[in-house]
Amino acid sequence: MAVGGNALTRADQPGTAEQIESNAAQMASGISNLCEAGWSVVVVHGNGPQVGHLAIQQEGSVDLVPPQPLYSLNAMSQGQLGSVLVRAIDTIRGPGTAVGLISHMVVDPHDPAFRTPTKPIGPFFTETEAAAMAERRGWEMRQDAGRGFRRMVPSPHPTEMLELSAVTPLLAAGKVVLAAGGGGVAVARDDQGRYHGVDAVIDKDSAAARLAGSLKATMMILVTGSTRSWSTTAPRGPAPSTSCLSRRPSGISPRASSRPGAWGPRSGRPPTSYGRAAGPPSSPRRSACSKPWTRRTVSARTSFPSKQ
């Protein structure tokens, strides 16, 4: 399941800790429903609004403490949002059900994305405010889906998650696994085989697709901050869906904005290009999700598939 950063800090919210926790509780309810339906669940969350807020905080305190690079801010937001979601899931499913895995995604330092930043992060600004930000901080500011101006940063293709081997044992142990948070901390390998942080924000949909393909997942679900999406899988062509979940990422058409970096993978290629998901494992695994914890009702805006 890929949970957008905009689903944790909505467009009309400033992003307080209380708001993030409230939104995470709604997401946890849906995740719990998937567990009740018999699924083993891996959650990949976005961090666009949150990492952008961290960047502004860093820049605003340069006279007091040295600012940290973007890849460090990704790690910060990964820990922050991972902790919030783990606690929200555990509140419903029981202590120790969810596990947050600090994850690093390998990228190619020569990826064309570094020449053309397309990933929006942080809050929205007016055109005047954006011009001032660009002048003062040297940020690249662009219009984002007609809602205002945001900072744009590189979003390269993820090629490998270094902690992949830890995910399967955790799933086998019945855990809900949070991995590749914020798309994972972007790293590149040098000639000596060492990995170094890279200033970029990997798209969480691309990271989730990479992870889903590597794990041979049965299904990938996208959770967004939008109440409507467009699907090309309807019998008579594209039709609006009021559910904020989409079962087939390759069947979603970003009608609202086709700009790279808008709704849909910022990488520009569909999730299915990372490898077709395989069927369910031959022998079902018992999961902590099947424990008789108190059930919660899922949001009316959300529908979840049953495992068949």
Side-chain angles (χ1 to χ4, degrees):
M1 174 187 285
V3 178
N6 287 312
L8 293 169
T9 298
R10 303 193 187 283
D12 60 345
Q13 295 178 333
T16 65
E18 293 76 16
Q19 289 168 342
I20 292 174
E21 292 197 2
S22 175
N23 294 331
Q26 296 181 40
M27 297 299 103
S29 178
I31 292 167
S32 178
N33 279 19
L34 285 173
C35 292
E36 290 289 341
W39 293 96
S40 293
V41 182
V42 177
V43 180
V44 176
H45 67 76
N47 70 342
Q50 299 81 16
V51 76
H53 290 172
L54 282 173
I56 291 174
Q57 290 174 349
Q58 294 284 313
E59 293 292 332
S61 59
V62 292
D63 294 334
L64 300 175
V65 293
Q68 300 300 305
L70 185 56
Y71 61 82
S72 291
L73 304 187
N74 277 327
M76 293 179 194
S77 64
Q78 190 175 135
Q80 172 203 11
L81 299 178
S83 172
V84 170
L85 284 165
V86 162
R87 287 184 284 115
I89 295 167
D90 283 358
T91 296
I92 300 174
R93 308 301 305 176
T97 298
V99 175
L101 181 64
I102 296 297
S103 310
H104 300 81
M105 277 285 188
V106 180
V107 301
D108 180 356
H110 303 294
D111 191 301
F114 288 104
R115 296 193 298 270
T116 309
T118 59
K119 167 69 175 176
I121 66 171
F124 291 91
F125 297 95
T126 65
E127 186 172 3
T128 301
E129 291 170 334
M133 288 283 186
E135 171 103 11
R136 186 163 65 249
R137 295 188 168 97
W139 291 352
E140 182 158 350
M141 308 291 290
R142 285 193 224 149
Q143 178 72 241
D144 181 16
R147 294 178 292 174
F149 287 77
R150 297 176 77 187
R151 180 187 177 186
M152 298 290 165
V153 299
S155 184
H157 297 309
T159 63
E160 176 190 5
M161 193 179 91
L162 296 180
E163 296 78 13
L164 177 65
S165 62
V167 177
T168 300
L170 288 169
L171 289 174
K175 305 299 182 182
V176 175
V177 181
L178 281 80
V185 179
V187 295
R189 184 177 179 179
D190 65 19
D191 295 337
Q192 285 74 46
R194 295 172 298 187
Y195 290 94
H196 301 274
V198 176
D199 276 345
V201 176
I202 298 171
D203 174 56
K204 65 96 178 42
D205 292 338
S206 296
R210 169 63 67 188
L211 186 55
S214 298
L215 294 172
K216 299 189 184 334
T218 306
M219 178 169 49
M220 178 177 163
I221 297 173
L222 306 180
V223 183
T224 78
S226 173
T227 58
R228 301 180 74 85
S229 62
W230 284 86
S231 171
T232 59
T233 59
R236 296 183 181 179
S241 170
T242 56
S243 168
C244 64
L245 294 185
S246 302
R247 292 189 60 173
R248 293 180 174 83
S250 60
I252 298 299
S253 175
R255 288 291 187 92
S257 173
S258 59
R259 174 189 58 74
W263 204 94
R266 277 69 173 178
S267 63
R269 51 176 165 168
T272 50
S273 68
Y274 292 108
R276 185 173 179 80
S282 56
S283 58
R285 294 187 292 267
R286 178 169 177 79
S287 167
C289 292
S290 61
K291 290 182 179 180
W293 302 107
T294 302
R295 297 187 183 188
R296 300 289 182 89
T297 303
V298 70
S299 168
R301 293 171 55 193
T302 311
S303 60
F304 296 90
S306 298
K307 190 172 184 181
Q308 305 194 356

